[in-house]
Amino acid sequence: MKKALKIGLVALSAAAVCTTTALFNTADSYISTEQPVCQTAVLRQGASGGEVKELQRRLKMWGYYDGEVDGIYGAATVKAVKYFQQKNGLTADGVAGIKTFEALGMNDSVRVLQNDEKSRSDSNYTSSDLYLLAKCIYGEARGESYTGQVAVGAVILNRVASSQFPNTVSGVIYQKDAFTAVTDGQINLTPDQTALNAAQDAINGWDPTYGCLYYYNPATATSSWIFSR
């Protein structure tokens, strides 16, 4: 896959390849997909779906949010989350993680995050894994939205956790023809801080793809590897 995914990333679900898709519009970080209410561990600006709606509903019910309950984690939602966090003695970063979910009484989201953190910690990712992941993110998706870069990292980690792929970060990344960045040598470029941050967020459990194993942009992709999946 090319680093320039200008139209978006089409991610095919691990559970139903070619039947469940997620489209990442890197221009505005909008994510459109079939989503359950409880879908991801960490919510931040750019996220969307049923879980965001529930977050907005609770914030609105308690007077922290006066916008539309539309399931889009935009600037107004960030502002409301920060306000809620300030009033409840939490770090006011506008990101809904486990402590914010707990304070809001979103217990299902808390459980998802706890399970995600346990899964990640059980995998024992090393600093070398983090750096290699960042290199692949940089080679594949530098210049794209931050959400898109985290999505690339999440797909790689989802493959590590899947029985269909090698069980190490290096094994997944260097699997024959899996990543254009490896094929054309861009994997050897030095990742920037954004790619390193995206790799860390992916390892920490943020998965904008909701468990997908593939991403693909037919407008820019040069590898035919995905058609063998």
Side-chain angles (χ1 to χ4, degrees), residues 8-219:
L9 301 177
V10 178
L12 307 183
S13 168
V17 176
C18 296
T19 60
T20 302
T21 63
L23 174 64
F24 297 85
N25 185 327
T26 58
D28 58 9
S29 299
Y30 179 76
I31 300 174
S32 175
T33 185
E34 296 285 333
Q35 300 166 344
V37 171
C38 190
Q39 58 198 240
T40 188
V42 178
L43 297 175
R44 65 188 75 201
Q45 189 163 10
S48 65
E51 194 173 18
V52 177
K53 278 189 176 181
E54 179 61 16
L55 174 77
Q56 292 171 329
R57 186 188 70 79
R58 291 179 184 240
L59 289 170
K60 189 163 189 171
M61 180 174 63
W62 295 334
Y64 293 96
Y65 178 66
D66 58 5
E68 184 180 353
V69 179
D70 56 7
I72 299 174
Y73 206 118
T77 303
V78 172
K79 182 179 179 181
V81 170
K82 285 183 177 179
Y83 182 31
F84 175 81
Q85 290 169 330
Q86 288 170 348
K87 291 293 185 179
N88 288 273
L90 304 173
T91 300
D93 56 7
V95 176
I98 189 167
K99 293 186 181 300
T100 301
F101 288 144
E102 286 176 340
L104 284 166
M106 294 176 64
N107 297 326
D108 286 343
S109 297
V110 171
R111 283 191 289 271
V112 169
L113 182 52
Q114 288 172 335
N115 291 337
D116 225 6
E117 287 180 343
K118 183 177 186 302
S119 174
R120 296 303 192 199
S121 63
D122 287 349
S123 299
N124 295 317
Y125 292 115
T126 66
S127 58
S128 295
D129 290 329
L130 172 66
Y131 191 69
L132 180 57
L133 186 63
K135 287 174 67 176
C136 194
I137 290 170
Y138 187 72
E140 288 281 307
R142 66 183 182 275
E144 299 307 320
S145 73
Y146 187 71
T147 300
Q149 292 188 47
V150 177
V152 171
V155 165
I156 292 169
L157 297 183
N158 290 340
R159 291 184 186 184
V160 173
S162 170
S163 61
Q164 301 175 47
F165 294 87
N167 61 1
T168 64
V169 172
S170 60
V172 166
I173 289 175
Y174 288 108
Q175 187 176 21
K176 182 175 173 56
D177 297 329
F179 295 97
T180 301
V182 174
T183 303
D184 64 16
Q186 292 188 68
I187 189 71
N188 298 314
L189 297 173
T190 300
D192 60 11
Q193 190 60 50
T194 299
L196 288 165
N197 292 344
Q200 187 65 67
D201 266 342
I203 284 177
N204 286 346
W206 183 20
D207 183 0
T209 77
Y210 314 114
C212 295
L213 293 177
Y214 303 96
Y215 62 89
Y216 179 65
N217 178 12

